[in-house]
Amino acid sequence: MEIKLKINGINKEVTIKDGEYLQSALKRLGFLNVRKGCETGSCGLCTVLLNGKPTLSCSTLAVRGIGKEITTLEGESVEVAKFAEVLTDEGADQCGYCSPGFTLTVIAMKRELESPTIDEIKHYLTGNLCRCTGYMGQLRAVKKYMEVK
Amino acid sequence: MGYVGKGIKKIDGMGLIKGASSYTEDIALGHNYLTVKLLRSPHAFARIKNINTTIASKIEGIECILTYKDVTDKRFTLAGQSFPEPSPHDRRILGEYVRYVGDEVAIIAGTDEETVLKAMKLIKVDYEILEPVLDFEKAIDHKSIIHTEKPYTSFNYGNEHMRNIAAQDLLVEGDVEKELAKSDVVIEHSYHTQAQIHGMMENYIAVTYMDFQDRMNIISSTQIPFHVRRHVSKILDIPRSKIKVIKPRVGGGFGGKQTAPMEIYPALVTKVTGKPAKLVYNRKETHTCTTTRHEMKLTVKLGATKDGIINAVDIHGLSNTGAYGEHAWTVFSVVGQKTLPMYRAKARRFYGEVVYTNMTTAGAFRGYGATQGTFALESAVNELAKKLDMDSSVIREKNLVKQGEVNPTLNSFVGEKSIVLDSSTLDECITRGKEMIGWDKKYPMQKISPTKARGVGMAVTMQGSGIHGIDTASATLKLNDDGFYTLLVGVSDMGQGCDTVVAQMAAEILCVPVSKIIVNSTDTDVNPYDPGAYASSGTYVTGNAVIKAANLMVEKIVGGASKILNIPEEDIEFNGESLLLKDGKEISLDEIAYRLVAYEGQNQIITTGTWGGHTSPPPFIAGFAEVEVDLETGKVEMIDYAAVVDCGTVINPNLARIQVEGGVAQGIGLALFEDIKYDAKGKMISDTFMQYKIPSRCDVGEIRVEFKPSFEHTGPFGAKSIGEVVINTSAPAIADAVANATGVRVRTLPITPEKVLMGILNTKHSN
Ligand code: FES
Ligand code: FES
């Protein structure tokens, strides 16, 4: 099926298979860092932004992207670089496999929450699993990035 | 210069976070790979009576379907260990018998996923179903024998396959029975540690193709590229010189990728068809058809005087290796090796068996037996303290092995001579940990409300640094024509940051910023041999090799300059950036590097250091947990975890800290949530992250980390390892905290609300 998707501000004609999920469609289009960790909507690795909202692309049909702004890591390069600086400063990056989905969620959170508490931050990010870091360093980095005390 | 001891950024961090193409899946593009999938057994134990692939093979786009009739009957192990592997050779590529739900039955390769799945459905298999062994405590002398054929073992570690015993171990020092008989107090309890899933975020993946030199190229997300080369060569009969293994960035391993559970299948497809092939495990296969932590039951007997001096430690173990014996004996022996040296007892013993069952195979997992052993021993020590009505930190003060003491079990092997503990600040770690958690105020518990209680608990542990007498790594440094260095190592960074740490060490000696050192750890053709990233060997073993190579480099630069410039070496001083000559002249490294490689010098400097250790110095950690228990539901909530670590010199405090936080969190998972469940027929049902719960960021509470550095004389800049030791204390410290809060001692992991609540209700009833 031919559909039109707007990805990182650019309109694309995309051929998708019946019942194809957004994650696999984006990957086929070359957005390699839209990763997959679980196939059950439980890890958050595949997160992209749909109209600015973090969305699990592994469990969102590609057709649901029609008429929406789809943003991957490439579409947020300025904010991604800023966040990458604080995260690496903290040493809070290990294997990096969870980073793209996590980073996009953090960026969306910064726009959505005004002076959040630590609990609100944790709650917002709770769907983004990371098996390497133990989360503490990520939280330190997020606090710096959000300028939260 | 000060690169060691600095929290330098991970050299690959920015790239990874920005999403650069770097993992196996990202770089394995461009070839027209065949999709490979494996048909798997639906039965826990069965014999294939007949298998018919005729119809399936006719599907358009199917390139090959292989069954046990088409492959060699050679047997092997997939454990990533130095040759000769101390794991039983009890596997085949495909066999007539299937030994767990998920065991491989056929390899199918075709143009795309749909085609392959269609063919898979059309393969007809006729099974003779056998009675499976699903309870590891009933495995020995069960009427079902899982391996009737004698496996090859590289030496005798007690494999008695006809009794379902994969390995046995005995480590003994002194007369245990006598010391127990003399003791005022003897306690005996059994502890059960569950199998655990590694749960790294990147699933297993490998791709293979023949290159322009007709060599088998394997790109794999692995911790052990050199062992993979050897496995594939031996199993598929390809000369090692014809195999190249490429290891891209790895999305987490934790020991899972120290076994090579899948590379042989696409490699075989490529060998048979000549075409590129790709095998990707989905999350289900990653959980079910690779390896887990060994489930164990450990019975600990402790004998002590009434003042709390431990006379004897006696541990009997039973370990479940599942269908195959990957790492069966080595993991098991580490249980004893890393527990017996902890306490200064007159007699100590560890013995027991590793058994085969019809369950998912167990293998290497961060902590490698020390985790299981620590849960049992530390829980027992905490119970002994209770029995003696003693603060559990005090009993440790009285008994723990100290720096400078000679310890007979520290060298891991019976019969070798005792060695001195060169470095330990464990006593200081305990003191500091107590302060951090507020031990003296909070021990053992505080009642928060009529329905909530808080408890604190502790545990200590050790690990090793590399495998002494076995692990040997090399590092090669190259001074490039533009005055920067390439550092070639064979160790695998799967996120822990060893590429950065070795760069820091080289930078320290070469007196240049880390950015002037390019680390390459990608490919078995280029990089010098290294057994791989396991046994906590990166910093310690590979680090030592890097130091040798770097020192040699400095020597050779001065020597090379002396030749070109015709000045005696004594008159040249090298400060990293340039050479200062006695006459006041200065020549930059860039210039000398260029002149050395060029016609003038004809001397590109490449140095190599190789290192292997005679000891495996233990890092230590003291872990303190504070939990809150809901007395009405049994739910345990993590409040605080304080970890104080002695890993010798801390080479990179930021990365070390994250290692500790990550390890503690993984240990919290083991303690409270992670549980593999099987149905009655032996099918794993917790095969996704929906059923198998790893901790999320709301489950771990606060984790706080500090270091109490010691100086290890055999270590690089005084360093020891850190990767594994950090996972071991969480479970026993949390179990103790729960016991202190509620009076309920849970000896079977994970500590679920049901177990705590049942314990609370039972105590109420019996009162
Ligand atoms: S892959 Fe989408 S949530 Fe895990
Ligand atoms: S850094 Fe490895 S999963 Fe998060």
Side-chain angles (χ1 to χ4, degrees), chain A residues 17 27 32-33 35-43 45 73-74 77 80-81 83-100 102-103 119 121-123 125-140 142, chain B residues 7 9-10 12-14 16-21 23 25-26 29 114 196-203 250-252 254 282-284 365 494-496 654-655 657-659 661-663 665-666 674 688-690 692 694-698 700-703:
Chain A
K17 292 177 212 146
K27 196 124 196 163
L32 300 178
N33 58 54
R35 304 197 201 288
K36 192 156 78 176
C38 73
E39 301 129 14
T40 47
S42 28
C43 74
L45 259 71
L73 211 59
E74 288 84 351
S77 50
V80 169
F83 183 61
E85 280 294 341
V86 286
L87 195 68
T88 51
D89 257 349
E90 228 14 270
D93 47 323
Q94 281 209 28
C95 80
Y97 211 71
C98 66
S99 296
F102 172 62
T103 305
D119 275 346
I121 292 177
K122 282 193 188 169
H123 189 74
L125 296 172
T126 190
N128 292 84
L129 295 180
C130 171
R131 187 59 154 171
C132 298
T133 63
Y135 303 115
M136 297 294 126
Q138 289 185 343
L139 183 64
R140 289 192 292 274
V142 168
Chain B
K9 280 174 186 274
K10 236 162 118 264
D12 49 358
M14 287 301 280
L16 294 182
I17 299 164
K18 288 180 174 174
S21 293
Y23 303 91
E25 198 180 14
D26 308 341
L29 297 166
E114 272 169 19
Q196 186 182 19
I197 280 170
H198 300 88
M200 70 296 274
M201 284 300 146
E202 179 199 35
N203 288 320
V250 177
F254 313 113
N282 57 26
R283 182 53 62 184
K284 265 192 174 118
F365 195 137
M494 58 274 190
Q496 76 277 40
N654 285 7
L655 300 188
R657 181 181 188 189
I658 298 291
Q659 283 267 56
E661 290 168 350
Q666 212 167 25
E674 299 183 33
T688 66
F689 281 138
M690 294 281 247
Y692 186 85
I694 64 168
S696 81
R697 69 189 72 230
C698 291
V700 294
E702 177 91 9
I703 303 169

